[in-house]
Amino acid sequence: MKAIDHHLGRALCAALSVVVRARSASLPLPGEPSVQNVAVVKFWGMGSLVLLTPAIAALKGRHPHARLFVVTQAANREVVGLLPGVDGVLTLEVGRGPLAFLASLARLVRDVRRAAFDVWLDAEFLTRFSALLTAVSGARLRVGFHVPEVARGRFHHVRMPFNGHRHMVDNFLSLVTGELTPPAAPAPLAVLAPDAAARTALTERLAALGVGPDEPLVVLNPNAGELALERRWPVERFGLLAGALLERWPGRVVFVGAPAERAHVARALAAAPRDARVVDLSGQTDLGTLVALFARARLLVSNDTGPLHLACAVGTPTVSIFGPETPVLFGPRGPRHRIVYRALACSPCLNVHNGRTVRCPHAVTHCVEGLPVEAVLAAVEDALRDAPAALPGVVG
Protein backbone atom coordinates (compact mmCIF):
# COMPACT_ATOMS: atom_id res chain seq x y z
CA MET A 1 0.00 0.00 0.00
CA LYS A 2 2.84 2.36 0.82
CA ALA A 3 4.59 1.65 -2.51
CA ILE A 4 1.38 2.15 -4.49
CA ASP A 5 0.65 5.39 -2.65
CA HIS A 6 4.19 6.68 -3.31
CA HIS A 7 4.48 5.80 -6.99
CA LEU A 8 1.00 5.51 -8.49
CA GLY A 9 -0.46 8.05 -6.09
CA ARG A 10 2.03 10.68 -7.09
CA ALA A 11 1.22 10.21 -10.78
CA LEU A 12 -2.54 10.29 -10.14
CA CYS A 13 -2.23 13.45 -8.03
CA ALA A 14 -0.29 15.15 -10.82
CA ALA A 15 -2.87 14.12 -13.42
CA LEU A 16 -5.90 15.13 -11.33
CA SER A 17 -4.29 18.47 -10.47
CA VAL A 18 -4.91 19.52 -14.08
CA VAL A 19 -8.66 19.31 -13.40
CA VAL A 20 -8.96 20.03 -9.67
CA ARG A 21 -7.07 22.88 -8.04
CA ALA A 22 -8.41 24.37 -4.83
CA ARG A 23 -7.96 28.06 -4.18
CA SER A 24 -6.74 29.21 -0.78
CA ALA A 25 -9.47 29.92 1.76
CA SER A 26 -9.98 30.42 5.48
CA LEU A 27 -11.59 28.18 8.07
CA PRO A 28 -15.28 28.85 8.79
CA LEU A 29 -16.05 30.94 11.84
CA PRO A 30 -17.23 29.11 14.97
CA GLY A 31 -20.97 28.55 14.90
CA GLU A 32 -21.32 29.38 11.21
CA PRO A 33 -24.84 28.09 10.38
CA SER A 34 -23.88 26.91 6.89
CA VAL A 35 -21.69 24.17 8.41
CA GLN A 36 -24.03 21.19 8.72
CA ASN A 37 -21.89 18.15 7.90
CA VAL A 38 -18.24 17.69 8.86
CA ALA A 39 -15.88 14.85 7.90
CA VAL A 40 -12.69 13.80 9.66
CA VAL A 41 -10.59 11.50 7.47
CA LYS A 42 -8.14 9.03 9.03
CA PHE A 43 -7.75 5.62 7.45
CA TRP A 44 -4.65 4.23 9.15
CA GLY A 45 -3.65 4.08 12.80
CA MET A 46 -5.97 3.11 15.64
CA GLY A 47 -3.80 5.15 17.98
CA SER A 48 -4.03 8.16 15.70
CA LEU A 49 -7.82 8.00 15.90
CA VAL A 50 -7.52 8.27 19.69
CA LEU A 51 -5.08 11.17 19.32
CA LEU A 52 -7.67 12.87 17.10
CA THR A 53 -10.20 13.11 19.94
CA PRO A 54 -9.14 16.63 21.07
CA ALA A 55 -9.53 17.83 17.47
CA ILE A 56 -12.97 16.16 17.27
CA ALA A 57 -13.98 17.86 20.52
CA ALA A 58 -12.73 21.19 19.16
CA LEU A 59 -14.73 20.69 15.95
CA LYS A 60 -17.89 19.92 17.89
CA GLY A 61 -17.27 23.00 20.00
CA ARG A 62 -16.88 25.24 16.96
CA HIS A 63 -19.85 23.74 15.09
CA PRO A 64 -22.18 22.32 17.75
CA HIS A 65 -25.11 21.87 15.36
CA ALA A 66 -23.14 20.03 12.67
CA ARG A 67 -23.11 16.26 12.24
CA LEU A 68 -19.58 14.85 12.44
CA PHE A 69 -18.56 11.77 10.45
CA VAL A 70 -15.29 9.82 10.55
CA VAL A 71 -14.08 8.43 7.22
CA THR A 72 -11.82 5.45 7.87
CA GLN A 73 -11.21 1.82 6.98
CA ALA A 74 -13.74 -0.80 8.06
CA ALA A 75 -11.33 -2.38 10.54
CA ASN A 76 -11.48 0.82 12.61
CA ARG A 77 -15.27 0.88 12.97
CA GLU A 78 -15.11 -0.57 16.50
CA VAL A 79 -12.63 2.01 17.80
CA VAL A 80 -14.57 4.86 16.18
CA GLY A 81 -17.62 3.60 18.06
CA LEU A 82 -15.79 4.35 21.32
CA LEU A 83 -15.03 7.98 20.43
CA PRO A 84 -17.33 10.66 21.85
CA GLY A 85 -18.73 13.29 19.52
CA VAL A 86 -18.94 11.09 16.40
CA ASP A 87 -22.34 10.98 14.70
CA GLY A 88 -21.55 8.56 11.88
CA VAL A 89 -18.84 6.62 10.10
CA LEU A 90 -18.10 5.95 6.42
CA THR A 91 -15.74 3.04 5.80
CA LEU A 92 -13.44 1.52 3.22
CA GLU A 93 -12.67 -2.20 3.00
CA VAL A 94 -8.92 -2.83 2.90
CA GLY A 95 -7.07 -6.13 2.58
CA ARG A 96 -9.61 -8.25 0.67
CA GLY A 97 -8.04 -8.03 -2.75
CA PRO A 98 -7.87 -5.32 -5.44
CA LEU A 99 -11.36 -5.86 -6.89
CA ALA A 100 -13.04 -5.74 -3.48
CA PHE A 101 -11.01 -2.63 -2.65
CA LEU A 102 -12.04 -0.83 -5.85
CA ALA A 103 -15.69 -1.74 -5.31
CA SER A 104 -15.55 -0.48 -1.74
CA LEU A 105 -13.77 2.69 -2.86
CA ALA A 106 -16.51 3.38 -5.43
CA ARG A 107 -19.17 3.00 -2.71
CA LEU A 108 -17.21 5.29 -0.37
CA VAL A 109 -16.89 8.02 -3.02
CA ARG A 110 -20.62 7.74 -3.69
CA ASP A 111 -21.47 8.01 0.01
CA VAL A 112 -19.06 10.92 0.54
CA ARG A 113 -20.52 12.92 -2.32
CA ARG A 114 -24.08 12.19 -1.17
CA ALA A 115 -23.22 13.50 2.29
CA ALA A 116 -22.31 16.89 0.77
CA PHE A 117 -19.77 17.77 3.44
CA ASP A 118 -19.32 21.41 4.31
CA VAL A 119 -15.93 20.89 6.02
CA TRP A 120 -13.54 18.05 5.18
CA LEU A 121 -10.53 17.50 7.46
CA ASP A 122 -7.96 15.23 5.84
CA ALA A 123 -5.99 14.12 8.91
CA GLU A 124 -3.86 11.56 7.06
CA PHE A 125 -0.09 12.00 7.21
CA LEU A 126 0.61 13.32 3.70
CA THR A 127 -0.71 10.26 1.85
CA ARG A 128 -1.66 10.68 -1.80
CA PHE A 129 -4.65 8.38 -1.32
CA SER A 130 -6.43 10.72 1.10
CA ALA A 131 -5.50 13.70 -1.09
CA LEU A 132 -7.12 12.03 -4.11
CA LEU A 133 -10.25 11.26 -2.10
CA THR A 134 -10.24 14.89 -0.98
CA ALA A 135 -10.13 15.99 -4.62
CA VAL A 136 -13.27 14.02 -5.55
CA SER A 137 -15.12 14.51 -2.24
CA GLY A 138 -17.14 17.49 -3.40
CA ALA A 139 -16.65 19.06 0.04
CA ARG A 140 -17.15 22.82 0.21
CA LEU A 141 -14.03 23.47 2.32
CA ARG A 142 -11.14 21.00 2.38
CA VAL A 143 -8.34 21.11 4.98
CA GLY A 144 -5.18 18.99 5.15
CA PHE A 145 -1.51 18.80 6.03
CA HIS A 146 1.23 20.09 3.76
CA VAL A 147 5.01 19.96 3.50
CA PRO A 148 6.83 21.27 0.40
CA GLU A 149 8.82 18.09 -0.19
CA VAL A 150 5.76 15.80 -0.51
CA ALA A 151 3.81 16.45 -3.72
CA ARG A 152 0.16 15.46 -3.30
CA GLY A 153 -1.65 18.02 -5.43
CA ARG A 154 -3.32 21.26 -4.40
CA PHE A 155 -6.67 19.77 -3.50
CA HIS A 156 -6.97 21.36 -0.04
CA HIS A 157 -8.29 24.89 0.36
CA VAL A 158 -6.50 25.23 3.71
CA ARG A 159 -3.06 23.62 3.85
CA MET A 160 -1.62 23.47 7.35
CA PRO A 161 2.14 22.89 7.79
CA PHE A 162 2.89 19.52 9.34
CA ASN A 163 5.39 19.99 12.17
CA GLY A 164 7.57 16.97 12.89
CA HIS A 165 8.69 18.52 16.19
CA ARG A 166 5.18 18.99 17.54
CA HIS A 167 2.98 16.38 19.20
CA MET A 168 0.37 14.80 16.93
CA VAL A 169 -2.47 16.03 19.15
CA ASP A 170 -1.33 19.59 18.47
CA ASN A 171 -0.83 18.92 14.75
CA PHE A 172 -4.37 17.56 14.51
CA LEU A 173 -5.75 20.53 16.44
CA SER A 174 -4.11 22.93 13.98
CA LEU A 175 -6.36 21.53 11.24
CA VAL A 176 -9.36 22.70 13.25
CA THR A 177 -8.11 26.03 14.57
CA GLY A 178 -5.72 27.12 11.82
CA GLU A 179 -3.28 28.14 14.54
CA LEU A 180 0.45 27.73 13.92
CA THR A 181 1.31 27.88 17.62
CA PRO A 182 0.41 24.99 19.94
CA PRO A 183 -2.04 25.53 22.81
CA ALA A 184 -0.60 26.82 26.09
CA ALA A 185 -1.52 23.57 27.86
CA PRO A 186 -1.66 20.08 26.30
CA ALA A 187 -5.18 19.24 25.16
CA PRO A 188 -6.48 16.14 26.96
CA LEU A 189 -7.60 13.04 25.14
CA ALA A 190 -11.25 12.14 25.31
CA VAL A 191 -11.97 9.86 28.26
CA LEU A 192 -12.84 6.34 27.10
CA ALA A 193 -14.74 4.17 29.54
CA PRO A 194 -15.83 0.54 29.22
CA ASP A 195 -19.53 -0.19 29.25
CA ALA A 196 -21.20 -2.60 31.67
CA ALA A 197 -21.25 -5.46 29.17
CA ALA A 198 -17.49 -5.18 28.55
CA ARG A 199 -16.80 -5.08 32.29
CA THR A 200 -18.89 -8.19 32.83
CA ALA A 201 -17.25 -10.02 29.92
CA LEU A 202 -13.80 -9.20 31.30
CA THR A 203 -14.68 -10.31 34.83
CA GLU A 204 -16.02 -13.62 33.52
CA ARG A 205 -13.02 -14.19 31.27
CA LEU A 206 -10.54 -13.50 34.07
CA ALA A 207 -12.50 -15.65 36.54
CA ALA A 208 -12.33 -18.55 34.08
CA LEU A 209 -8.54 -18.15 34.16
CA GLY A 210 -8.47 -18.11 37.96
CA VAL A 211 -7.98 -14.35 38.37
CA GLY A 212 -9.87 -12.82 41.28
CA PRO A 213 -11.68 -9.46 41.03
CA ASP A 214 -9.29 -7.71 43.43
CA GLU A 215 -5.95 -8.97 42.11
CA PRO A 216 -3.71 -6.19 40.75
CA LEU A 217 -2.77 -6.54 37.08
CA VAL A 218 0.04 -5.34 34.86
CA VAL A 219 -0.73 -5.72 31.14
CA LEU A 220 2.04 -6.43 28.61
CA ASN A 221 1.52 -5.75 24.90
CA PRO A 222 4.48 -7.09 22.88
CA ASN A 223 2.85 -6.24 19.54
CA ALA A 224 2.87 -3.34 17.09
CA GLY A 225 0.75 -2.41 14.09
CA GLU A 226 1.63 -4.32 10.94
CA LEU A 227 2.52 -1.19 8.97
CA ALA A 228 5.73 -0.85 11.04
CA LEU A 229 6.62 -4.08 12.84
CA GLU A 230 10.12 -2.72 13.43
CA ARG A 231 8.69 -0.83 16.43
CA ARG A 232 8.56 -4.08 18.41
CA TRP A 233 10.98 -4.62 21.29
CA PRO A 234 12.42 -8.17 20.99
CA VAL A 235 9.50 -10.32 22.01
CA GLU A 236 11.43 -12.67 24.29
CA ARG A 237 12.33 -9.70 26.47
CA PHE A 238 8.68 -9.21 27.31
CA GLY A 239 8.76 -12.72 28.75
CA LEU A 240 11.92 -11.96 30.70
CA LEU A 241 10.34 -8.71 31.90
CA ALA A 242 7.33 -10.67 33.17
CA GLY A 243 9.62 -12.97 35.16
CA ALA A 244 11.61 -10.10 36.66
CA LEU A 245 8.42 -8.26 37.56
CA LEU A 246 6.85 -11.26 39.29
CA GLU A 247 9.96 -11.63 41.45
CA ARG A 248 9.35 -8.13 42.81
CA TRP A 249 5.57 -7.67 42.66
CA PRO A 250 2.68 -9.74 44.05
CA GLY A 251 0.16 -9.23 41.25
CA ARG A 252 -0.58 -10.87 37.90
CA VAL A 253 0.96 -10.22 34.49
CA VAL A 254 -1.50 -10.34 31.57
CA PHE A 255 -0.36 -10.66 27.94
CA VAL A 256 -2.64 -9.24 25.23
CA GLY A 257 -2.77 -9.22 21.45
CA ALA A 258 -5.13 -9.49 18.51
CA PRO A 259 -6.02 -12.95 17.14
CA ALA A 260 -3.43 -12.52 14.35
CA GLU A 261 -0.78 -11.74 16.99
CA ARG A 262 -1.21 -14.88 19.11
CA ALA A 263 1.85 -16.62 17.64
CA HIS A 264 3.99 -13.58 18.40
CA VAL A 265 2.67 -13.42 21.97
CA ALA A 266 3.38 -17.15 22.35
CA ARG A 267 7.07 -16.42 21.86
CA ALA A 268 6.96 -14.00 24.78
CA LEU A 269 5.13 -16.55 26.91
CA ALA A 270 7.76 -19.17 26.08
CA ALA A 271 10.40 -16.88 27.61
CA ALA A 272 8.27 -16.13 30.68
CA PRO A 273 8.37 -18.33 33.79
CA ARG A 274 5.85 -21.16 34.10
CA ASP A 275 3.90 -19.37 36.77
CA ALA A 276 0.15 -19.30 37.40
CA ARG A 277 0.39 -15.53 37.75
CA VAL A 278 1.19 -15.24 34.01
CA VAL A 279 -2.10 -14.91 32.12
CA ASP A 280 -2.55 -15.15 28.35
CA LEU A 281 -5.47 -13.12 26.97
CA SER A 282 -4.10 -12.77 23.43
CA GLY A 283 -6.79 -13.23 20.81
CA GLN A 284 -9.48 -13.41 23.51
CA THR A 285 -10.64 -9.81 23.81
CA ASP A 286 -12.61 -7.53 21.56
CA LEU A 287 -11.90 -3.82 21.72
CA GLY A 288 -14.49 -3.14 24.40
CA THR A 289 -13.11 -5.87 26.66
CA LEU A 290 -9.57 -4.59 26.08
CA VAL A 291 -10.67 -1.13 27.24
CA ALA A 292 -12.20 -2.76 30.33
CA LEU A 293 -8.92 -4.57 30.97
CA PHE A 294 -6.97 -1.32 30.76
CA ALA A 295 -9.43 0.29 33.18
CA ARG A 296 -8.81 -2.59 35.58
CA ALA A 297 -5.01 -2.65 35.17
CA ARG A 298 -2.48 -0.94 37.40
CA LEU A 299 -0.14 -0.41 34.41
CA LEU A 300 0.31 -1.14 30.69
CA VAL A 301 3.74 -1.87 29.21
CA SER A 302 3.60 -1.60 25.44
CA ASN A 303 5.44 -0.95 22.24
CA ASP A 304 4.57 2.20 20.30
CA THR A 305 1.19 1.13 18.90
CA GLY A 306 -2.57 1.73 19.04
CA PRO A 307 -3.48 0.01 22.34
CA LEU A 308 -0.97 2.29 24.08
CA HIS A 309 -3.08 5.33 23.21
CA LEU A 310 -6.30 3.53 24.13
CA ALA A 311 -4.87 2.93 27.60
CA CYS A 312 -3.88 6.60 27.90
CA ALA A 313 -7.43 7.65 27.05
CA VAL A 314 -8.78 5.23 29.67
CA GLY A 315 -6.48 6.82 32.25
CA THR A 316 -4.18 3.85 32.77
CA PRO A 317 -0.52 4.62 33.61
CA THR A 318 1.82 3.33 30.91
CA VAL A 319 5.41 2.45 30.14
CA SER A 320 5.98 2.76 26.40
CA ILE A 321 8.93 1.59 24.33
CA PHE A 322 9.94 3.79 21.39
CA GLY A 323 12.62 3.03 18.82
CA PRO A 324 12.39 4.01 15.14
CA GLU A 325 9.61 6.55 15.81
CA THR A 326 9.94 9.62 18.00
CA PRO A 327 7.91 10.06 21.19
CA VAL A 328 7.98 13.80 20.48
CA LEU A 329 5.14 13.12 18.04
CA PHE A 330 3.40 10.09 19.51
CA GLY A 331 4.58 9.68 23.10
CA PRO A 332 2.01 9.66 25.93
CA ARG A 333 1.95 12.98 27.76
CA GLY A 334 1.59 13.52 31.48
CA PRO A 335 3.23 12.46 34.77
CA ARG A 336 1.54 9.05 34.83
CA HIS A 337 3.43 7.85 31.77
CA ARG A 338 7.02 6.68 31.34
CA ILE A 339 8.78 6.51 27.97
CA VAL A 340 11.83 4.34 27.29
CA TYR A 341 13.68 5.72 24.28
CA ARG A 342 17.39 5.59 23.41
CA ALA A 343 17.30 8.64 21.09
CA LEU A 344 20.15 7.37 18.91
CA ALA A 345 21.77 9.59 16.29
CA CYS A 346 19.89 7.67 13.58
CA SER A 347 16.52 7.92 15.34
CA PRO A 348 13.84 8.56 14.38
CA CYS A 349 14.04 6.95 10.96
CA LEU A 350 10.28 6.39 10.76
CA ASN A 351 8.36 9.58 10.05
CA VAL A 352 5.48 10.91 8.00
CA HIS A 353 7.79 12.31 5.33
CA ASN A 354 8.93 8.81 4.31
CA GLY A 355 5.50 7.20 4.54
CA ARG A 356 6.29 5.96 8.07
CA THR A 357 8.59 3.32 6.61
CA VAL A 358 11.66 2.20 8.55
CA ARG A 359 14.88 2.36 6.57
CA CYS A 360 17.36 1.23 9.19
CA PRO A 361 21.01 1.57 8.11
CA HIS A 362 22.11 -1.16 10.53
CA ALA A 363 21.94 -4.93 10.44
CA VAL A 364 19.70 -4.78 13.51
CA THR A 365 17.47 -1.99 14.79
CA HIS A 366 19.71 -0.86 17.64
CA CYS A 367 17.07 1.57 18.90
CA VAL A 368 14.95 -1.34 20.20
CA GLU A 369 17.39 -4.26 20.07
CA GLY A 370 19.77 -2.35 22.33
CA LEU A 371 17.21 -1.79 25.08
CA PRO A 372 17.97 -4.20 27.96
CA VAL A 373 15.27 -5.67 30.17
CA GLU A 374 16.75 -3.78 33.11
CA ALA A 375 16.00 -0.39 31.50
CA VAL A 376 12.33 -1.21 30.95
CA LEU A 377 12.03 -2.87 34.36
CA ALA A 378 13.34 0.28 36.05
CA ALA A 379 10.65 2.34 34.31
CA VAL A 380 7.99 -0.21 35.30
CA GLU A 381 9.04 -0.17 38.96
CA ASP A 382 9.06 3.62 38.96
CA ALA A 383 5.57 3.73 37.41
CA LEU A 384 4.18 1.18 39.88
CA ARG A 385 5.47 3.19 42.81
CA ASP A 386 3.49 6.19 41.57
CA ALA A 387 0.41 4.28 40.33
CA PRO A 388 -2.57 4.50 42.68
CA ALA A 389 -3.69 1.25 44.27
CA ALA A 390 -7.13 1.73 42.77
CA LEU A 391 -7.70 3.43 39.45
CA PRO A 392 -10.92 4.93 38.06
CA GLY A 393 -12.93 2.21 36.36
CA VAL A 394 -11.40 -0.70 38.30
CA VAL A 395 -13.56 -3.80 38.03
CA GLY A 396 -14.51 -5.48 41.27
Side-chain angles (χ1 to χ4, degrees), residues 25 50 80 144 158 173 198 211-212 259 273 314 339 341 343 361 376 382 385:
V50 177
V80 171
V158 179
L173 274 172
V211 180
V314 170
I339 296 171
Y341 178 54
V376 179
D382 184 54
R385 278 192 295 269

Side-chain angles (χ1 to χ4, degrees), residues 193-206:
D195 59 26
R199 291 173 182 269
T200 300
L202 174 68
T203 300
E204 292 175 350
R205 170 60 61 184
L206 290 175

